[in-house]
């Protein structure tokens, strides 16, 4: 399963890149992969920060949401537009 | 109620009142059933949190921005009887006194127009994927960490 | 806080966004300390209380109108930190889709701009000495007896 | 004492005129003249209607307010601008 991961704003700068494409071998995701697991896997961090926002396929979701092949997952800090 | 809307993301300076005027002319010409228009224009200030700001860069998540703004307008339209909504948001590098955002709402009655304009603006500030990075006059850069309170 | 304001009574059609734009250009050129502008435009509808309205005549009490509008702006300025306020109100004979009123407020923050704009608009509706007489498409005339609710 | 009285909107039409100038001989107003008394005197009506608004010298006041020579008193129905 292949997931596109995006990072924005201060998070992008901290991580040092704006995007990852992560391919999981079928045996690693035989059951299900959550947003939180993806975060840990893609960033190497221990846990999902409290104020981190996440969107799957451009819609807000939560760290427990499960992912499917081809999903676009975006992680970002609190928004500050307007 | 079916509600018309236009959502524009611009990467260069825009004149919010001019765009509102043009939108009204092109979309509501000959319409005589709206009695109330409320708008809000956010303008870049040259100060924030006690510091002098020289310029700002507005980053966004292009694929999500319009989708999210449409969801916000959908929600406003469920809450209030709106006839038209116009949202314009700037991205990229921006300087003091330039416009950041316009939210304009047309309705038959003023209560709905005021409520919906403010609702959309607050929701935009809390949900639309934009981020501001300030360049201070000291030469330092910093990300704005959260928006000020709207109420 | 000292607050600038401009109050205009007009007896012919006016373009509210054009006037707001001109006022901003002439009064705030080079100013970079306001971050929020909220405005409201009231437009004549072609219906009211279930009837088709052909035109309307707006009577006012000239000597009192500006005095009262100034008092309203004074009160708003005591409640919120405003930088500028523009009020334009039409009088005389007016037709559907023409603008009746513009209230625009400039402040550093959006909460104050939204609150003050709405406050001024509601106070204007309840205290400023204007009266509307509607000419229905049936040929009948009638005075509007009270304003609709704003909240 | 001379008072200028103005009537607006539907009230102007009911009364059939937009203004009066009313001169009170000194003996009639030796003590004081209230807005309500002026209303009764100028219109011939019995009392001050509940929803009638009054301004003295272009500022809102109440029917019990006392008048002075030269005041401009305006009577009008609820306002409907905006």
């Amino acid at each position: 399963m292949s997931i596109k991961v995006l990072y924005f704003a201060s998070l992008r700068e901290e991580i040092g890149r704006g995007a990852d494409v992560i391919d999981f071998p079928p045996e690693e995701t035989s059951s299900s992969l959550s947003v939180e697991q993806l975060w840990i896997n893609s960033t190497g961090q221990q846990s999902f920060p409290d104020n981190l926002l996440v969107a799957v396929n451009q819609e807000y979701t939560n760290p427990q949401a499960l992912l499917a092949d081809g999903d676009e997952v975006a992680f970002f800090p609190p928004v500050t537009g307007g | 109620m079916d509600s018309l809307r236009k959502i524009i993301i611009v990467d260069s300076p825009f004149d919010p009142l001019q765009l509102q005027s043009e939108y009204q002319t092109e979309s509501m010409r000959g319409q005589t059933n709206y009695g109330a228009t409320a708008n809000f224009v956010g303008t870049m200030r040259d100060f924030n949190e006690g510091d002098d700001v020289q310029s700002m860069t507005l980053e966004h998540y292009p694929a999500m921005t319009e989708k999210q703004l449409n969801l916000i307008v959908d929600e406003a339209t469920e809450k209030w009887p709106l006839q038209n909504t116009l949202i314009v948001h700037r991205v990229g590098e921006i300087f003091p006194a330039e416009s950041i955002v316009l939210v304009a709402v047309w309705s038959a009655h003023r209560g709905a127009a005021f409520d919906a304009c403010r609702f959309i603006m607050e929701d935009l500030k809390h949900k639309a994927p934009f981020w501001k990075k300030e360049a201070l006059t000291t030469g330092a850069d910093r990300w704005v960490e959260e928006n000020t309170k709207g109420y």
Side-chain angles (χ1 to χ4, degrees), chain B residues 5 9 12-13 40 45-46 58 60-62 65 78-79 85-87 94 114 124 129 135 138 146:
Chain B
R5 87 275 303 266
I9 308 300
S12 55
F40 177 84
R45 285 171 293 150
D46 59 356
L58 272 156
H60 77 134
Y61 177 8
T65 308
E78 279 166 30
K79 286 172 181 275
T85 303
L86 173 65
I87 300 177
I94 169 171
F114 273 124
L124 181 157
T138 60
E146 61 177 9

Side-chain angles (χ1 to χ4, degrees), chain B residues 28-105:
Chain B
M28 282 162 270
R29 182 182 286 289
Q31 283 184 32
T32 47
N33 59 344
Y34 64 89
T37 312
N39 92 3
F40 177 84
V41 179
T43 306
M44 189 186 155
R45 285 171 293 150
D46 59 356
F47 65 92
N48 193 30
E49 293 173 25
D51 296 302
D52 292 331
V53 182
Q54 183 170 289
S55 71
M56 204 161 68
T57 303
L58 272 156
E59 180 172 333
H60 77 134
Y61 177 8
M64 183 172 174
T65 308
E66 282 198 42
K67 203 168 175 173
Q68 186 60 38
L69 292 175
N70 268 301
L71 284 176
I72 294 169
V73 176
D74 288 345
E75 204 178 329
T77 305
E78 279 166 30
K79 286 172 181 275
W80 296 281
L82 306 183
Q83 289 167 350
N84 288 79
T85 303
L86 173 65
I87 300 177
V88 185
H89 203 292
R90 177 78 182 273
V91 294
E93 191 179 18
I94 169 171
F95 296 90
E98 291 180 359
S99 301
I100 301 171
V101 63
L102 165 72
V103 172
V105 167

